[in-house]
Amino acid sequence: MESPQYMMRDIPQEDRPRERMMEYGAGALSHTELLAILLRTGTRKESAMHMAQRILNQAGGIRSLMDLSLEEMTAMKGIGQAKAVQLKAGIELGHRIAKSRLAPSTSIRTPRDAADILMEQLRYLQKEHFVCLFLNSKNHIIAQETLSMGSLNASIVHPREVFRAAIKCSSASIVCAHNHPSGDPTPSPEDIQITKRLIEAGAIVGIDVLDHLVIGDGTYVSLKEKGLV
């Protein structure tokens, strides 16, 4: 027997997502409640809350929601073009806010400095992204670029792409990073190999590779700190 589908009007005023946000702040809301606010309305047979929960279930969780295209969203029951655009805009805004912490005056002195900038950008991605932070002679970040997007478990990057980008922005040194979608930041043999290749290439062109970070789910590994390079 199916559970009754309560509509938003059936939920007590104090338990509705928008009211809860105004009372307790956005941080107190669940993923489902935040998504329901973005959706704004449900359908005649399904509340925004039920729709939000169904979307999260179909997507495979909040992480996977980030990777859905507009076409994949509109293929879901109850999601038209307008709702899909709202969701994609909200997700993209959150992504840009995470990146906005990067400022020209940001200085990289330790692996933690770089991890703090990149963690929220990379930890939820379902494919490997290889990113470089380009630094000037004072270790201030002057640019950031994603140079490779690999398959679910493999990312391929060539030194020439890395140093072409570094030379283009007159970088004195670089910090490389990529994510492990599994959430486990343990470096693979391939991670160590590509890092050594980049260090060797950097020595030839006069641009130091300061570190390579592997980003997991809320954690990271610095290959330099581990003595792997």
Side-chain angles (χ1 to χ4, degrees):
M1 183 176 178
E2 291 187 2
S3 300
Q5 297 292 299
Y6 296 107
M7 303 306 288
M8 195 66 77
R9 63 177 175 270
D10 299 320
I11 301 174
Q13 186 83 9
E14 64 273 14
D15 290 336
R16 297 177 188 178
R18 276 176 287 189
E19 283 72 11
R20 277 176 38 76
M21 179 182 283
M22 289 187 285
E23 180 74 20
Y24 305 109
L29 272 61
S30 66
H31 296 335
T32 302
E33 290 173 313
L34 291 170
L35 186 56
I37 290 174
L38 285 177
L39 291 170
R40 295 184 60 203
T41 60
T43 65
R44 291 181 63 185
K45 295 184 178 180
E46 188 177 40
S47 71
M49 283 283 287
H50 279 94
M51 183 183 290
Q53 187 59 64
R54 176 169 54 78
I55 290 169
L56 286 175
N57 291 340
Q58 285 182 243
I62 195 73
R63 294 169 183 250
S64 301
L65 188 64
M66 294 180 63
D67 288 332
L68 291 182
S69 65
L70 284 171
E71 292 75 19
E72 289 171 322
M73 285 185 178
T74 53
M76 293 180 172
K77 182 181 177 182
I79 304 296
Q81 209 168 48
K83 275 188 168 58
V85 168
Q86 282 175 204
L87 292 181
K88 287 296 286 184
I91 291 167
E92 179 61 24
L93 186 60
H95 184 63
R96 293 187 186 187
I97 289 170
K99 291 177 68 174
S100 71
R101 292 181 300 172
L102 179 63
S105 61
T106 302
S107 180
I108 302 297
R109 300 295 178 187
T110 67
R112 168 56 69 182
D113 292 338
D116 285 344
I117 290 167
L118 297 170
M119 181 71 71
E120 294 306 312
Q121 298 179 39
L122 299 177
R123 65 185 291 191
Y124 299 117
L125 299 176
Q126 297 299 295
K127 293 183 179 180
E128 287 196 4
H129 287 56
F130 188 92
V131 177
C132 283
L133 298 178
F134 301 105
L135 315 179
N136 62 18
S137 59
K138 295 182 179 180
N139 279 14
H140 290 166
I141 298 173
I142 53 177
Q144 175 183 330
E145 189 170 342
T146 299
L147 295 169
S148 171
M149 288 183 286
S151 63
L152 186 65
N153 55 15
S155 183
I156 301 170
V157 64
H158 196 282
R160 70 168 168 264
E161 280 128 21
V162 173
F163 291 103
R164 182 188 296 128
I167 291 167
K168 185 178 178 181
C169 62
S170 301
S171 178
S173 60
I174 63 174
V175 174
C176 303
H178 78 282
N179 62 303
H180 278 182
S182 66
D184 179 1
T186 303
S188 68
E190 292 78 14
D191 295 338
I192 298 169
Q193 183 180 29
I194 186 61
T195 307
K196 289 180 177 178
R197 287 179 62 200
L198 289 170
I199 290 172
E200 291 168 1
I204 293 172
V205 299
I207 298 175
D208 293 332
V209 178
L210 301 182
D211 205 346
H212 183 178
L213 305 182
V214 183
I215 305 293
D217 186 6
T219 185
Y220 72 95
V221 168
S222 158
L223 270 69
K224 182 176 181 180
E225 282 185 335
K226 292 291 184 181
L228 297 173
V229 293

